[in-house]
Amino acid sequence: MVGQASAWVESPLQMLCAVEAHHAGILGPVTTVVPRAGLRALKATRAELRSLGAPEGLVLAEPRGRMPRRVLAVGDAFSGRVQVRWLASWPGRVVIVDDGLATLRLLELLAAGPSRPLLRARAERSAPRAALGLAAALRLRLSRVSVFTALDVDDQLAEAVRAAGVELVRHDFAWLRAQPPSPHGPAERTVVLGTSLVRNGLVHRGRYLRWLSDLAAREPVAYYPHRREDPVDVALIGERPGVTVHDAGAPAELTLRGLRPDQRVLSLPSTAVTSLRVLLGPRGVAVELVDVPDDWWTSRAAPALRSHLTGVPG
């Protein structure tokens, strides 16, 4: 079909961003969003989005194990399977839809030019992986690239990205803001977003759990685990007096969109802080960034990595 586009997504937030990109007209009149198979959180997000009623011209396809042969939009430019597909395709238009921290890393690499391989900040730099990342960067240089994001991008970086020939398109979750509030929000005044920093070995488990216990000793806490959080840690958190763990599945932007003005959200550094402020700020809900104390970091969190991880506007 003329004007039909496919979007390949590998996380709940990428799926939501693909919906927003279609709603904004970035992908054309007809878009098929294809989620990666085997991820429970993607199934939950797809079900939630379908219950809201997809925008006209958007199809939320069944999960697949393989990417479609022709893909316009992708959520993760650092994915190995995405980069291989780019190399196997003719250069053309590429749209990257994501509001995670990796997007800021991507923008920095795109601004630096094709000599920088597309690798995650914590990626193991093996020779084959670096070669693939470099080839992907060179291929993007031959393509018409758009990055669709709600993240705060400082003026200097935005200017450098555009100077490199990359279109930077900002959004404010216009489609989601127009949807009715979720009826399944938490009753607790304080909501804490989980983090993957503990499982990744970057923050001490004991210090993080002690902080949660101290917080719950003062008031009831609704805890929404990060999708990559260790299930053992989540079980330990659920045993803390005063903490109620909610099995969200769908991204916080969907689940928490109906919070009341007397509620608040606490989060360690995460781009969810930015997106939730866009969504909840007009409702009078405070979204507070919790700084990571120096003694929480482990030896695996090098200063440069700490700076990257905490590069979320406060």
Side-chain angles (χ1 to χ4, degrees):
M1 179 185 296
V2 176
Q4 184 169 7
S6 290
W8 171 255
V9 296
E10 300 180 75
S11 79
L13 186 56
Q14 291 169 19
M15 182 180 286
L16 175 57
C17 291
V19 174
E20 291 288 351
H22 172 81
H23 175 74
I26 301 301
L27 305 180
V30 180
T31 304
T32 300
V33 179
V34 182
R36 177 179 171 181
L39 300 176
R40 187 177 67 88
L42 277 175
K43 289 185 178 180
T45 303
R46 179 173 175 265
E48 179 72 13
L49 289 170
R50 293 185 74 176
S51 72
L52 291 174
E56 182 179 355
L58 183 113
V59 178
L60 295 170
E62 292 289 335
R64 297 185 195 173
R66 289 187 174 185
M67 290 179 63
R69 186 173 298 275
R70 299 185 65 181
V71 174
L72 169 62
V74 299
D76 184 1
F78 298 113
S79 166
R81 67 177 68 192
V82 167
Q83 294 182 358
V84 168
R85 178 53 52 87
W86 282 341
L87 296 182
S89 307
W90 289 104
R93 186 165 180 242
V94 173
V95 181
I96 297 161
V97 290
D98 190 21
D99 285 319
L101 187 59
T103 302
L104 294 178
R105 163 83 173 170
L106 173 66
L107 291 174
E108 292 168 354
L109 293 174
L110 292 176
S115 62
R116 298 282 301 278
L118 298 184
L119 294 173
R120 304 183 198 279
R122 297 193 307 113
E124 183 177 337
R125 294 176 177 267
S126 64
R129 191 64 190 85
L132 175 60
L134 181 58
L138 293 170
R139 173 51 62 92
L140 282 189
R141 192 70 172 182
L142 301 175
S143 304
R144 293 180 291 115
V145 180
S146 299
V147 178
F148 182 81
T149 183
L151 293 180
D152 289 329
V153 181
D154 67 61
D155 292 342
Q156 183 175 359
L157 177 57
E159 183 178 346
V161 167
R162 293 185 174 108
V166 176
E167 181 186 30
L168 182 60
V169 183
R170 304 292 304 284
H171 76 92
D172 59 358
F173 293 98
W175 177 80
L176 185 57
R177 286 190 291 106
Q179 304 310 305
S182 171
H184 309 300
E188 294 86 352
R189 186 184 80 89
T190 294
V191 177
V192 175
L193 300 185
T195 180
S196 63
L197 295 177
V198 173
R199 184 169 194 171
N200 291 338
L202 303 175
V203 161
H204 289 289
R205 175 179 287 100
R207 289 177 173 84
Y208 180 66
L209 294 180
R210 191 177 306 120
W211 170 71
L212 284 174
S213 294
D214 290 345
L215 181 64
R218 298 192 295 272
E219 61 179 319
V221 168
Y223 189 83
Y224 283 78
H226 190 280
R227 65 187 179 89
R228 290 196 296 269
E229 208 161 346
D230 191 325
V232 174
D233 288 344
V234 174
L236 289 173
I237 290 168
E239 294 173 357
R240 260 59 184 171
V243 178
T244 300
V245 174
H246 293 256
D247 185 12
E253 290 80 3
L254 272 172
T255 308
L256 302 178
R257 67 184 188 277
L259 289 186
R260 307 181 308 270
D262 63 326
Q263 293 177 290
R264 64 171 180 162
V265 179
L266 303 182
S267 175
L268 266 62
S270 167
T271 51
V273 171
T274 298
S275 55
L276 287 176
R277 283 176 175 171
V278 170
L279 288 166
L280 300 177
R283 299 176 62 88
V285 180
V287 181
E288 303 173 20
L289 180 66
V290 178
D291 292 328
V292 180
D294 289 341
D295 64 345
W296 284 24
W297 296 109
T298 69
S299 59
R300 296 180 61 181
L305 181 58
R306 294 187 195 183
S307 177
H308 171 69
L309 292 171
T310 56
V312 178

